[in-house]
Amino acid sequence: MRTFPLDDIPDVPVAFADLKDKVALVTGGERGIGQGIAAVLARQGMRIAIAGRSAEEGEFAIGQFHESGIDALWVEGDISMRAAAEQAISQVADRFGQIDLLVNNAAAQRMTEFLEYDDEIYEFSFEKNVRMVYRMSHRVGRMMSARGAGVIVNISSVGGLRAHRGSAGYDAAKGAIDSLTRAMSLELAPHGIRVNAVAPGAIANRPVTERDQPFRERQAAGIPLGRVGNVTDIGGVVAFLASDVASYITGQTIYVDGGLTAQLTPPGIYI
């Protein structure tokens, strides 16, 4: 299971008062980075809906929220499918009346060498990722435009800027999502909707076990700030972008990576 006990997700040291009582829908919010984003937003006083495919993890996550007195809704379904996406949006609107913030966090990844790709891997790794962002943004964007206000935050990746080995489809999808973020920001700005992306670097997206520790230490050695990020590092930036403090920011991709993409070479290597 990649779901955190809620007490293991640190809080952010700042409150964005204007987020209180607003409604956030976080896709892929039952685990990992999505769960961390949902936890941060909930602690800002937002009403939370999380949509995802894993019933076990979703029910665990939503139970944690309810035990903490957080008003939260779990919606199960594969939002890459049109019917499930529309059902998820309808359930959230029926429960809370509106959606003020959409966080497109859900993603699909299959690591395969490029020459081993086939159509199924391509569609899963590339097309599915872009489709989820497009479909949810298009439907929720229409709802937001009717009110003349809203925020969309797409969770991208450093892979949209720098390539991972074995992840050509995923990285290409994230690059497309960065481009889609810019295009949507222009189209939706006249409707009072801001659109930005957050690109995580190396993030501990599940509870770190003793077995994981050597790998995380190797990751940290190549990061300028000297540590692997946590889910709150991403959630805090999402909260900022959702708030009125960021009211003049749209069309941007914010890299939250400890300086990873700023460097030409890893530590100890000189050219």
Side-chain angles (χ1 to χ4, degrees), residues 27 33-34 37 102-109 129-130 133 152-162 164 169-182 195-203 205 234 237-238 241 251-257 261:
T27 68
I33 289 174
I37 293 168
L102 170 64
V103 182
N104 285 308
N105 169 74
Q109 184 176 17
N129 281 302
V130 181
V133 173
I152 297 173
V153 177
N154 300 322
I155 303 304
S156 180
S157 168
V158 293
L161 181 68
R162 301 283 187 265
H164 296 99
Y170 177 83
D171 287 351
K174 293 303 186 178
I177 288 167
D178 291 347
S179 182
L180 183 59
T181 296
R182 292 188 291 272
V195 187
N196 290 290
V198 175
I203 303 294
N205 60 0
I234 308 303
V237 177
V238 172
L241 290 172
Q252 304 304 307
T253 298
I254 311 297
Y255 293 91
V256 186
D257 65 357
T261 55

Side-chain angles (χ1 to χ4, degrees), residues 15 21 115 122 145 157 171 235 253:
D21 295 327
L115 293 180
Y122 163 78
S145 69
S157 168
D171 287 351
T253 298

Side-chain angles (χ1 to χ4, degrees), residues 75-248:
V75 180
E76 183 182 347
D78 182 355
I79 61 159
S80 70
M81 307 299 291
R82 179 179 290 106
E86 292 177 350
Q87 182 181 27
I89 293 166
S90 294
Q91 285 185 249
V92 177
D94 289 345
R95 168 72 176 273
F96 295 119
Q98 63 190 46
I99 299 172
D100 300 288
L101 168 64
L102 170 64
V103 182
N104 285 308
N105 169 74
Q109 184 176 17
R110 186 175 298 169
M111 296 187 69
T112 309
E113 290 186 9
F114 182 70
L115 293 180
E116 300 300 319
Y117 265 53
D118 57 23
D119 287 350
E120 190 275 333
I121 295 173
Y122 163 78
E123 291 169 2
F124 181 87
S125 299
F126 177 78
E127 192 273 338
K128 183 175 182 177
N129 281 302
V130 181
R131 183 190 341 135
M132 287 191 286
V133 173
Y134 155 73
R135 183 164 286 150
M136 295 297 291
S137 298
H138 186 260
R139 273 45 169 198
V140 175
R142 284 184 169 180
M143 295 173 57
M144 291 175 171
S145 69
R147 297 172 41 241
V151 176
I152 297 173
V153 177
N154 300 322
I155 303 304
S156 180
S157 168
V158 293
L161 181 68
R162 301 283 187 265
H164 296 99
R165 288 176 174 81
S167 297
Y170 177 83
D171 287 351
K174 293 303 186 178
I177 288 167
D178 291 347
S179 182
L180 183 59
T181 296
R182 292 188 291 272
M184 288 197 304
S185 73
L186 299 184
E187 299 283 347
L188 297 179
H191 301 276
I193 303 168
R194 294 187 295 107
V195 187
N196 290 290
V198 175
I203 303 294
N205 60 0
R206 63 175 180 239
V208 177
T209 65
E210 184 176 346
R211 182 180 178 182
D212 297 330
Q213 198 60 42
F215 170 68
R216 294 302 183 187
E217 289 174 0
R218 290 195 300 274
Q219 280 189 311
I223 297 170
L225 286 183
R227 70 173 177 90
V228 172
N230 60 56
V231 294
T232 300
D233 291 322
I234 308 303
V237 177
V238 172
F240 162 71
L241 290 172
S243 76
D244 288 345
V245 179
S247 63
Y248 202 52

